[in-house]
Amino acid sequence: MMNTTAPGVRTALDAEEFREAMARLAAPLTIVTTHDAEGRPWGFTASAVTSVSLDPPLVLVGIAHASSCFAAFAATGEFVINVLGAQHRDTARRFAARGTDRFAGGDFDVVGGAGPPRLPDAHAALRCTVADRVPVGDHDLILGTPTEVHTAASTRPLMWHLRQFHTFGPSPA
């Protein structure tokens, strides 16, 4: 077996060092939503979302085991990834907070009267069925197959970098 670690380089970081390094990785912000068996909506702000495959189309969402939404997402068969635009700063804050009614803002709807909530003015919204769940460390990775996509007119994406919101791109006309 070949050792690829350079001499004198540490191979393990503590959680705070890792968190600080990852704060420097700019990421798009999303709100991931689902509903439980009783139809109650659940959702959280997430930056750990990415495309995985084009053929077949697959996306990945990371959710912490400690999340208040974990049980709902562990039991669901579908979810929506709402890609946030610049206009969603307050919504992103509300969904990142604990102990609050995240859906109190009334900004979500349900497509066709059934399914997980979606932001009608999201930069993009991908309705997905769960393809697999993979436990990794203190998170589960949920793989989803997009079944429906909605995109909004030109909006500026909302990004997360150094623990602050940022936007880029031209202002909508």
Side-chain angles (χ1 to χ4, degrees), residues 89-116:
R89 287 174 192 252
D90 291 340
T91 307
R93 282 187 191 100
R94 189 171 69 243
F95 273 75
R98 288 191 169 267
T100 184
D101 180 356
R102 295 173 177 170
F103 290 92
D107 27 19
F108 285 79
D109 67 14
V110 177
V111 180

Side-chain angles (χ1 to χ4, degrees), residues 14-168:
D14 69 31
E16 192 52 40
E17 286 176 305
F18 182 65
R19 183 186 324 263
E20 189 60 34
M22 290 296 95
R24 286 156 170 71
L25 179 63
L29 278 175
T30 66
I31 293 177
V32 184
T33 59
T34 195
H35 54 80
D36 61 22
E38 289 78 39
R40 181 177 168 197
W42 292 89
F44 64 99
T45 300
S47 59
V49 174
T50 191
S51 63
V52 175
S53 171
L54 289 175
D55 188 17
L58 290 170
V59 293
L60 178 140
V61 173
I63 183 169
H65 295 159
S67 170
S68 61
C69 299
F70 183 78
F73 278 89
T76 192
E78 64 179 339
F79 59 94
V80 172
I81 298 170
N82 297 278
V83 181
L84 302 184
Q87 71 275 23
H88 297 120
R89 287 174 192 252
D90 291 340
T91 307
R93 282 187 191 100
R94 189 171 69 243
F95 273 75
R98 288 191 169 267
T100 184
D101 180 356
R102 295 173 177 170
F103 290 92
D107 27 19
F108 285 79
D109 67 14
V110 177
V111 180
R118 116 181 133 87
L119 272 171
D121 65 340
H123 196 63
L126 292 90
R127 184 174 180 175
C128 303
T129 58
V130 174
D132 200 0
R133 289 182 181 83
V134 181
V136 179
D138 62 356
H139 278 62
D140 271 12
L141 303 180
I142 304 172
L143 289 164
T145 302
T147 59
E148 202 174 315
V149 175
H150 299 270
T151 58
S154 179
T155 61
R156 296 169 59 207
L158 186 61
M159 304 292 290
W160 187 246
H161 182 249
L162 292 173
R163 297 181 187 87
Q164 295 180 6
F165 295 117
H166 299 273
T167 59
F168 70 92

